[in-house]
Each structure stands twice: as structure tokens, then as C-alpha cells.
Amino acid sequence: MSKTAIVTGGSRGLGRAIALALAEDGYDIVINYAGNAAAAEDTKAAVEAHGVKALTVQGDVSDKAAVEALVQTTVDTFGGVDVLVNNAGIVRDRLMRRMKEEDWDAVLNTNLKGVFLMTQAVSPYMLKARRGAIVNISSIVGEIGNLGQSNYAAAKAGVIGLTKASAKEFAARGVRVNAVAPGFIETDMTAVLSDAVKEQLVAGIPLGHMGAPEDIAEAVRYLVSDRAGFVTGAVLDVNGGMAM
Ligand code: NAP
């Protein structure tokens, strides 16, 4: 039987690695993205190389109509949705004193409201099917905070609360909801950090290096699989020991 996974922000970085890992496990993949169509098409080709089907869908996860269209397109194309990975995320870093209201709103809307809207949109299908797995990508910053990231830390801490609330709501119908909290991973999001900042960060990582997108993809692959059949409401830290 075919199985389908939606990966929000699946075009680049962690989302691309997650899409590829789930494709390897036999999922047809819906690759959602915000604006970078070329990256999404590239990921689609890489997913299809694993012998599964792939679809790219542009859409802003903070826009309810776009989210509903994304889920409807998925169901129309593949007949259902078995896995949702809420991965899309942005940063708008600024010290609290200088943070603009629009920096706060943009990050909370994409990183937290987006997870709520996507979860709400897939829930009727998963609850009716009495199966499904959702993985929300939080962050170490949601657990321990960070300078200049009050918006991001609040959103990612919110994702953990939302994960646990939805895990409790959906458990009776066999739908599991978990979070992964990555530490510092090499993607476009962290490429903007200066070498000096990276060195300082790495000094605080007991394993002595930043993570790779595949490190996060492996955690997601586990959490959506039957091997994690008794795991729900959990937050899996994948951070090289940076916080424990
Ligand atoms: P990235 O390389 O910047 O990629 C972000 C992805 O999200 C892209 O696919 C982008 O689409 C998509 N996206 C952005 N805003 C969107 C929106 N409103 N609607 C739909 N898609 C949207 O980021 P990343 O490093 O892979 O991060 C992925 C997730 O992991 C994020 O939630 C991030 O907060 C979290 N995280 C990352 C790290 C890290 O060290 N990298 C650590 C902890 C947590 P386009 O390609 O179209 O722009």
C-alpha cells in the first residue's frame, strides 16, 4: 500500500534531507515550499530517484487558505496523508530592544501558527483513518533560549507545547505527534553566521561539530515509523550534547 508524507519547507536544508529519507522508506512525498521553485524541483527529482512519487506545492504555511489547498491537493493526488512533518521555519534575529513587531509576527506566524494550521488541516484525515504520525521541528533555542532570538525561541517553545497538546488530543485515535529539537545544523539558515560565531557555538557542543541535515532526517524517520509506535508527545534532542 502506498503511503504519503507532506514535508513543509521541503525544498532545502533539513526539509530536503527529511523528504529524501522518507522517500527511501517508500513514502510518496509532497514538497511544500515558500518561493524557491528551483530548489523544490531539484528536491522533487532527487525524491523520484528513490522510485516514489513526488509533488511540489508552493504555499505559505501561515496562510490558512494555502494550507487547506496544500492538504486538499495531497489528498486528491495520493488519496490521503499518513505523515506530516512541520519543518518550514524562518529567523528574523534582533535584540529584544530593537525587534520590530513585524519581526515578531513573521516568525510566530510561520514557525508556530503554521504548525497549528497544518496540524488542524491534516487532522480530519488522520483521525478518520485512525493512524498517522506528525513530527514538528522545534529547536534547541526553544528549550534554552538565545540572544537576539526572542521571537524564534518563543515560537519554538510554543511548538513543544503544541506538540504535547495535540499528542494528547489525537492519541485515542492512534495518531502520534512528536517533536525534534535540532541543535546547530549546517543549512542556509546557519550559513549566515560568521566563522567566529560558529567557532564559539562549536566550542559549546560536546561532540565537537555542527550537525548535518541527515542527523535530523534520521530522527524524523524513526519517529514516523512503527518502531516508534509507543512514542508520542516526546521531544527528541538532536544537538551533539549542547543541552542535556
Ligand atoms: P532553511 O534552509 O532556511 O530552509 C527553510 C525552508 O522552509 C525552505 O524550504 C523554505 O522554502 C521553507 N519556508 C520558509 N518559510 C515558509 C513558509 N512561510 N511557508 C512554507 N515554507 C516556508 O532552514 P533549515 O535550516 O532547513 O530549517 C528547517 C527547520 O529546522 C526550521 O523550522 C528551523 O527553524 C529548524 N531548525 C534549524 C536549525 C539549523 O541549525 N539549521 C536548528 C534548529 C531548528 P523556500 O525554499 O521556498 O524558501
Side-chain angles (χ1 to χ4, degrees):
M1 202 175 69
S2 67
K3 22 181 207 173
T4 304
I6 301 175
V7 183
T8 69
S11 51
R12 295 185 283 123
L14 306 189
R16 176 184 163 99
I18 292 164
L20 292 176
L22 296 183
E24 210 170 76
D25 288 347
Y27 286 89
D28 294 327
I29 309 286
V30 178
I31 302 155
N32 156 257
Y33 66 102
N36 193 336
E41 287 306 318
D42 192 70
T43 299
K44 178 175 186 269
V47 162
E48 286 169 342
H50 288 288
V52 295
K53 299 193 190 93
L55 189 69
T56 59
V57 182
Q58 189 280 331
D60 178 350
V61 292
S62 69
D63 175 342
K64 190 173 162 73
V67 162
E68 283 172 354
L70 165 63
V71 173
Q72 193 60 54
T73 303
T74 302
V75 172
D76 291 347
T77 309
F78 295 121
V81 48
D82 303 281
V83 163
L84 166 65
V85 184
N86 282 308
N87 164 80
I90 57 169
V91 285
R92 293 277 188 279
D93 298 352
R94 247 177 240 264
L95 291 174
M96 180 86 85
R97 272 179 302 131
R98 297 199 198 111
M99 185 165 291
K100 298 195 172 83
E101 191 178 351
E102 52 262 37
D103 298 328
W104 174 270
D105 287 345
V107 168
L108 268 288
N109 282 341
T110 299
N111 297 11
L112 182 56
K113 184 182 171 190
V115 178
F116 163 68
L117 290 176
M118 284 298 305
T119 301
Q120 195 177 45
V122 300
S123 64
Y125 301 100
M126 289 189 179
L127 295 177
K128 187 162 179 236
R130 292 188 167 269
R131 71 194 174 92
I134 299 174
V135 177
N136 298 325
I137 306 299
S138 177
S139 168
I140 187 173
V141 171
E143 299 175 313
I144 65 171
N146 199 19
L147 291 175
Q149 292 200 302
S150 55
N151 51 359
Y152 187 80
K156 292 299 190 180
V159 165
I160 291 176
L162 177 55
T163 299
K164 293 180 181 184
S166 30
K168 284 188 177 173
E169 281 196 26
F170 299 164
R173 297 283 193 97
V175 177
R176 298 181 301 101
V177 189
N178 292 289
V180 174
F184 285 86
I185 313 296
E186 305 229 33
T187 68
D188 293 345
M189 189 177 272
T190 49
V192 296
L193 300 172
S194 69
D195 285 348
V197 169
K198 276 193 197 161
E199 253 172 57
Q200 207 182 356
L201 284 171
V202 168
I205 302 175
L207 285 180
H209 59 87
M210 289 176 73
E214 291 72 23
D215 292 320
I216 305 308
E218 285 304 317
V220 173
R221 190 209 289 264
Y222 162 68
L223 285 171
V224 306
S225 76
D226 291 343
R227 287 170 288 143
F230 199 50
V231 182
T232 198
V235 182
L236 181 47
D237 290 330
V238 185
N239 61 30
M242 195 174 181
M244 56 176 95

